[in-house]
Short mmCIF file of all heavy atoms in Angstrom, two decimals:
data_model
loop_
_atom_site.label_atom_id
_atom_site.label_comp_id
_atom_site.label_asym_id
_atom_site.label_seq_id
_atom_site.Cartn_x
_atom_site.Cartn_y
_atom_site.Cartn_z
N LYS A 86 -26.47 6.74 -9.84
CA LYS A 86 -26.26 5.49 -10.56
C LYS A 86 -27.49 5.07 -11.35
O LYS A 86 -28.58 5.57 -11.12
CB LYS A 86 -25.87 4.40 -9.59
CG LYS A 86 -26.94 4.11 -8.59
CD LYS A 86 -26.51 3.01 -7.65
CE LYS A 86 -27.70 2.51 -6.88
NZ LYS A 86 -27.37 1.42 -5.99
N GLY A 87 -27.26 4.14 -12.27
CA GLY A 87 -28.36 3.50 -12.99
C GLY A 87 -29.17 4.47 -13.81
O GLY A 87 -28.68 5.50 -14.26
N PRO A 88 -30.45 4.12 -14.04
CA PRO A 88 -31.30 4.97 -14.87
C PRO A 88 -31.46 6.38 -14.32
O PRO A 88 -31.87 7.28 -15.04
CB PRO A 88 -32.65 4.24 -14.85
CG PRO A 88 -32.32 2.84 -14.51
CD PRO A 88 -31.14 2.91 -13.61
N ALA A 89 -31.13 6.57 -13.05
CA ALA A 89 -31.18 7.93 -12.50
C ALA A 89 -30.25 8.84 -13.28
O ALA A 89 -30.50 10.04 -13.41
CB ALA A 89 -30.81 7.91 -11.03
N ILE A 90 -29.16 8.27 -13.84
CA ILE A 90 -28.26 9.08 -14.67
C ILE A 90 -29.03 9.62 -15.87
O ILE A 90 -28.90 10.79 -16.24
CB ILE A 90 -27.06 8.22 -15.14
CG1 ILE A 90 -26.22 7.79 -13.94
CG2 ILE A 90 -26.21 8.99 -16.15
CD1 ILE A 90 -25.12 6.81 -14.28
N GLN A 91 -29.89 8.77 -16.46
CA GLN A 91 -30.71 9.22 -17.59
C GLN A 91 -31.69 10.31 -17.12
O GLN A 91 -31.91 11.29 -17.82
CB GLN A 91 -31.51 8.05 -18.18
CG GLN A 91 -30.68 6.82 -18.52
CD GLN A 91 -29.66 7.12 -19.58
OE1 GLN A 91 -29.96 7.82 -20.55
NE2 GLN A 91 -28.44 6.63 -19.40
N GLU A 92 -32.26 10.11 -15.94
CA GLU A 92 -33.23 11.10 -15.45
C GLU A 92 -32.56 12.45 -15.27
O GLU A 92 -33.13 13.49 -15.63
CB GLU A 92 -33.85 10.63 -14.13
CG GLU A 92 -34.79 9.45 -14.29
CD GLU A 92 -35.38 8.96 -12.97
OE1 GLU A 92 -36.05 9.76 -12.29
OE2 GLU A 92 -35.17 7.79 -12.60
N TRP A 93 -31.35 12.43 -14.71
CA TRP A 93 -30.63 13.70 -14.55
C TRP A 93 -30.23 14.25 -15.92
O TRP A 93 -30.24 15.47 -16.12
CB TRP A 93 -29.39 13.53 -13.67
CG TRP A 93 -29.73 13.46 -12.22
CD1 TRP A 93 -29.89 12.33 -11.47
CD2 TRP A 93 -29.98 14.56 -11.33
NE1 TRP A 93 -30.21 12.66 -10.18
CE2 TRP A 93 -30.28 14.01 -10.06
CE3 TRP A 93 -29.98 15.94 -11.48
CZ2 TRP A 93 -30.56 14.80 -8.95
CZ3 TRP A 93 -30.26 16.73 -10.37
CH2 TRP A 93 -30.55 16.16 -9.13
N GLY A 94 -29.87 13.35 -16.83
CA GLY A 94 -29.54 13.78 -18.19
C GLY A 94 -30.70 14.52 -18.83
O GLY A 94 -30.54 15.56 -19.47
N GLU A 95 -31.91 13.98 -18.62
CA GLU A 95 -33.10 14.62 -19.18
C GLU A 95 -33.31 16.02 -18.62
O GLU A 95 -33.92 16.87 -19.26
CB GLU A 95 -34.34 13.75 -18.90
CG GLU A 95 -34.47 12.59 -19.87
CD GLU A 95 -35.30 11.45 -19.29
OE1 GLU A 95 -36.17 11.71 -18.44
OE2 GLU A 95 -35.04 10.29 -19.68
N GLU A 96 -32.83 16.23 -17.39
CA GLU A 96 -32.97 17.57 -16.81
C GLU A 96 -31.97 18.55 -17.43
O GLU A 96 -32.00 19.75 -17.13
CB GLU A 96 -32.78 17.53 -15.29
CG GLU A 96 -33.74 16.61 -14.54
CD GLU A 96 -35.15 17.16 -14.43
OE1 GLU A 96 -35.34 18.33 -14.77
OE2 GLU A 96 -36.07 16.40 -14.04
N GLY A 97 -31.05 18.01 -18.24
CA GLY A 97 -30.13 18.88 -18.97
C GLY A 97 -29.02 19.48 -18.12
O GLY A 97 -28.52 20.56 -18.41
N VAL A 98 -28.59 18.78 -17.07
CA VAL A 98 -27.57 19.37 -16.21
C VAL A 98 -26.25 18.60 -16.23
O VAL A 98 -25.30 18.99 -15.57
CB VAL A 98 -28.07 19.47 -14.74
CG1 VAL A 98 -29.20 20.46 -14.64
CG2 VAL A 98 -28.51 18.10 -14.21
N LEU A 99 -26.18 17.50 -17.00
CA LEU A 99 -24.97 16.69 -16.98
C LEU A 99 -24.02 17.09 -18.11
O LEU A 99 -24.43 17.55 -19.16
CB LEU A 99 -25.32 15.20 -17.10
CG LEU A 99 -26.15 14.61 -15.96
CD1 LEU A 99 -26.29 13.11 -16.13
CD2 LEU A 99 -25.54 14.94 -14.61
N ALA A 100 -22.72 16.89 -17.85
CA ALA A 100 -21.69 17.25 -18.83
C ALA A 100 -21.08 16.00 -19.45
O ALA A 100 -20.96 14.96 -18.78
CB ALA A 100 -20.60 18.07 -18.15
N SER A 101 -20.68 16.10 -20.70
CA SER A 101 -20.06 14.96 -21.39
C SER A 101 -18.58 14.86 -21.03
O SER A 101 -17.88 15.86 -20.94
CB SER A 101 -20.22 15.14 -22.90
OG SER A 101 -19.32 14.28 -23.56
N ILE A 102 -18.11 13.62 -20.81
CA ILE A 102 -16.68 13.42 -20.59
C ILE A 102 -16.15 12.47 -21.66
O ILE A 102 -15.26 11.67 -21.42
CB ILE A 102 -16.39 12.86 -19.17
CG1 ILE A 102 -17.39 11.76 -18.83
CG2 ILE A 102 -16.41 13.95 -18.14
CD1 ILE A 102 -17.03 10.99 -17.57
N ASP A 103 -16.73 12.59 -22.85
CA ASP A 103 -16.38 11.71 -23.96
C ASP A 103 -14.89 11.72 -24.29
O ASP A 103 -14.32 10.68 -24.61
CB ASP A 103 -17.18 12.09 -25.22
CG ASP A 103 -18.38 11.17 -25.38
OD1 ASP A 103 -18.41 10.14 -24.67
OD2 ASP A 103 -19.25 11.49 -26.19
N ASP A 104 -14.26 12.92 -24.23
CA ASP A 104 -12.85 12.96 -24.64
C ASP A 104 -11.96 12.12 -23.73
O ASP A 104 -11.07 11.42 -24.22
CB ASP A 104 -12.33 14.40 -24.79
CG ASP A 104 -12.82 15.31 -23.70
OD1 ASP A 104 -13.66 14.85 -22.90
OD2 ASP A 104 -12.37 16.47 -23.63
N VAL A 105 -12.23 12.16 -22.43
CA VAL A 105 -11.47 11.29 -21.51
C VAL A 105 -11.75 9.83 -21.83
O VAL A 105 -10.83 9.01 -21.92
CB VAL A 105 -11.86 11.57 -20.04
CG1 VAL A 105 -11.05 10.69 -19.11
CG2 VAL A 105 -11.66 13.02 -19.70
N ALA A 106 -13.03 9.53 -22.01
CA ALA A 106 -13.44 8.15 -22.24
C ALA A 106 -12.80 7.59 -23.51
O ALA A 106 -12.34 6.45 -23.55
CB ALA A 106 -14.95 8.07 -22.33
N LYS A 107 -12.76 8.44 -24.55
CA LYS A 107 -12.19 7.98 -25.83
C LYS A 107 -10.69 7.76 -25.68
O LYS A 107 -10.15 6.75 -26.11
CB LYS A 107 -12.49 9.02 -26.92
CG LYS A 107 -12.58 8.38 -28.30
CD LYS A 107 -13.21 9.31 -29.32
CE LYS A 107 -14.73 9.29 -29.26
NZ LYS A 107 -15.33 10.43 -29.98
N LYS A 108 -10.04 8.74 -25.04
CA LYS A 108 -8.59 8.65 -24.88
C LYS A 108 -8.19 7.39 -24.11
O LYS A 108 -7.19 6.75 -24.43
CB LYS A 108 -8.09 9.90 -24.13
CG LYS A 108 -6.63 10.22 -24.43
CD LYS A 108 -6.22 11.60 -23.89
CE LYS A 108 -6.04 11.55 -22.39
NZ LYS A 108 -6.06 12.87 -21.74
N GLU A 109 -8.97 7.04 -23.11
CA GLU A 109 -8.59 5.90 -22.28
C GLU A 109 -9.27 4.60 -22.71
O GLU A 109 -9.08 3.56 -22.09
CB GLU A 109 -8.92 6.21 -20.82
CG GLU A 109 -8.16 7.43 -20.33
CD GLU A 109 -8.38 7.71 -18.86
OE1 GLU A 109 -9.26 7.04 -18.25
OE2 GLU A 109 -7.69 8.58 -18.32
N GLY A 110 -10.09 4.69 -23.78
CA GLY A 110 -10.70 3.49 -24.33
C GLY A 110 -11.70 2.79 -23.40
O GLY A 110 -11.69 1.57 -23.26
N TRP A 111 -12.57 3.59 -22.79
CA TRP A 111 -13.54 3.00 -21.85
C TRP A 111 -14.44 1.98 -22.52
O TRP A 111 -14.85 1.02 -21.88
CB TRP A 111 -14.42 4.10 -21.22
CG TRP A 111 -13.68 4.98 -20.27
CD1 TRP A 111 -12.33 5.00 -20.05
CD2 TRP A 111 -14.24 5.96 -19.41
NE1 TRP A 111 -12.02 5.94 -19.10
CE2 TRP A 111 -13.19 6.55 -18.69
CE3 TRP A 111 -15.54 6.41 -19.18
CZ2 TRP A 111 -13.38 7.55 -17.76
CZ3 TRP A 111 -15.74 7.42 -18.25
CH2 TRP A 111 -14.67 7.98 -17.55
N ASP A 112 -14.75 2.22 -23.81
CA ASP A 112 -15.65 1.29 -24.50
C ASP A 112 -15.11 -0.13 -24.48
O ASP A 112 -15.86 -1.09 -24.48
CB ASP A 112 -15.88 1.76 -25.94
CG ASP A 112 -16.99 2.79 -26.02
OD1 ASP A 112 -17.85 2.79 -25.11
OD2 ASP A 112 -17.00 3.59 -26.97
N LYS A 113 -13.76 -0.22 -24.50
CA LYS A 113 -13.17 -1.57 -24.48
C LYS A 113 -13.05 -2.11 -23.06
O LYS A 113 -13.02 -3.32 -22.86
CB LYS A 113 -11.79 -1.53 -25.15
CG LYS A 113 -11.88 -1.65 -26.67
CD LYS A 113 -10.49 -1.77 -27.27
CE LYS A 113 -10.29 -0.77 -28.38
NZ LYS A 113 -9.52 0.40 -28.05
N LEU A 114 -12.93 -1.22 -22.11
CA LEU A 114 -12.72 -1.65 -20.73
C LEU A 114 -14.01 -2.08 -20.02
O LEU A 114 -13.98 -2.85 -19.08
CB LEU A 114 -12.08 -0.51 -19.91
CG LEU A 114 -10.66 -0.13 -20.30
CD1 LEU A 114 -10.24 1.15 -19.60
CD2 LEU A 114 -9.70 -1.25 -19.96
N LEU A 115 -15.12 -1.56 -20.51
CA LEU A 115 -16.39 -1.82 -19.81
C LEU A 115 -17.29 -2.71 -20.66
O LEU A 115 -17.35 -2.53 -21.89
CB LEU A 115 -17.13 -0.51 -19.53
CG LEU A 115 -16.38 0.55 -18.73
CD1 LEU A 115 -17.18 1.84 -18.71
CD2 LEU A 115 -16.11 0.06 -17.33
N PRO A 116 -18.01 -3.64 -20.03
CA PRO A 116 -19.02 -4.39 -20.79
C PRO A 116 -20.10 -3.42 -21.28
O PRO A 116 -20.41 -2.46 -20.58
CB PRO A 116 -19.60 -5.35 -19.75
CG PRO A 116 -18.66 -5.34 -18.59
CD PRO A 116 -17.95 -4.03 -18.63
N PRO A 117 -20.66 -3.70 -22.47
CA PRO A 117 -21.66 -2.76 -23.03
C PRO A 117 -22.85 -2.50 -22.10
O PRO A 117 -23.34 -1.38 -22.03
CB PRO A 117 -22.13 -3.47 -24.31
CG PRO A 117 -21.10 -4.49 -24.61
CD PRO A 117 -20.37 -4.82 -23.36
N VAL A 118 -23.32 -3.53 -21.36
CA VAL A 118 -24.45 -3.28 -20.45
C VAL A 118 -24.08 -2.20 -19.42
O VAL A 118 -24.94 -1.46 -18.95
CB VAL A 118 -24.90 -4.51 -19.63
CG1 VAL A 118 -26.14 -5.12 -20.20
CG2 VAL A 118 -23.81 -5.52 -19.42
N VAL A 119 -22.80 -2.16 -19.08
CA VAL A 119 -22.37 -1.18 -18.09
C VAL A 119 -22.18 0.19 -18.73
O VAL A 119 -22.69 1.21 -18.24
CB VAL A 119 -21.07 -1.63 -17.40
CG1 VAL A 119 -20.57 -0.57 -16.45
CG2 VAL A 119 -21.28 -2.94 -16.67
N SER A 120 -21.48 0.20 -19.88
CA SER A 120 -21.19 1.51 -20.48
C SER A 120 -22.48 2.21 -20.95
O SER A 120 -22.57 3.43 -20.92
CB SER A 120 -20.19 1.37 -21.62
OG SER A 120 -20.70 0.56 -22.64
N ASN A 121 -23.48 1.42 -21.34
CA ASN A 121 -24.75 2.04 -21.74
C ASN A 121 -25.38 2.82 -20.60
O ASN A 121 -26.01 3.84 -20.81
CB ASN A 121 -25.73 0.97 -22.22
CG ASN A 121 -25.40 0.52 -23.63
OD1 ASN A 121 -24.70 1.22 -24.35
ND2 ASN A 121 -25.89 -0.66 -23.99
N VAL A 122 -25.22 2.29 -19.39
CA VAL A 122 -25.79 2.98 -18.23
C VAL A 122 -25.08 4.32 -18.02
O VAL A 122 -25.68 5.29 -17.56
CB VAL A 122 -25.68 2.08 -16.98
CG1 VAL A 122 -26.21 2.80 -15.75
CG2 VAL A 122 -26.43 0.78 -17.18
N MET A 123 -23.79 4.37 -18.35
CA MET A 123 -22.98 5.56 -18.08
C MET A 123 -23.18 6.65 -19.13
O MET A 123 -22.64 7.74 -19.01
CB MET A 123 -21.48 5.22 -18.04
CG MET A 123 -21.13 4.17 -17.02
SD MET A 123 -21.58 4.69 -15.37
CE MET A 123 -22.09 3.14 -14.66
N LYS A 124 -23.90 6.31 -20.21
CA LYS A 124 -24.04 7.26 -21.31
C LYS A 124 -25.43 7.87 -21.33
O LYS A 124 -26.42 7.19 -21.05
CB LYS A 124 -23.81 6.55 -22.64
CG LYS A 124 -22.36 6.16 -22.88
CD LYS A 124 -22.26 5.35 -24.17
CE LYS A 124 -20.84 4.86 -24.39
NZ LYS A 124 -20.76 3.95 -25.53
N TYR A 125 -25.47 9.14 -21.67
CA TYR A 125 -26.76 9.77 -21.97
C TYR A 125 -26.71 10.23 -23.42
O TYR A 125 -25.81 10.97 -23.81
CB TYR A 125 -27.02 10.95 -21.03
CG TYR A 125 -28.29 11.70 -21.36
CD1 TYR A 125 -29.53 11.08 -21.20
CD2 TYR A 125 -28.24 12.99 -21.86
CE1 TYR A 125 -30.69 11.74 -21.51
CE2 TYR A 125 -29.40 13.66 -22.17
CZ TYR A 125 -30.63 13.04 -22.00
OH TYR A 125 -31.78 13.70 -22.33
#
Side-chain angles (χ1 to χ4, degrees):
Chain A
K86 63 179 193 178
I90 296 173
Q91 308 298 318
E92 290 178 60
W93 282 97
E95 280 156 28
E96 302 286 350
V98 293
L99 297 186
S101 163
I102 43 170
D103 261 348
D104 41 354
V105 181
K107 208 166 278 165
K108 205 170 75 198
E109 300 184 352
W111 290 8
D112 275 336
K113 276 187 231 102
L114 293 170
L115 304 172
V118 258
V119 176
S120 62
N121 282 341
V122 177
M123 303 300 144
K124 289 175 184 173
Y125 175 67

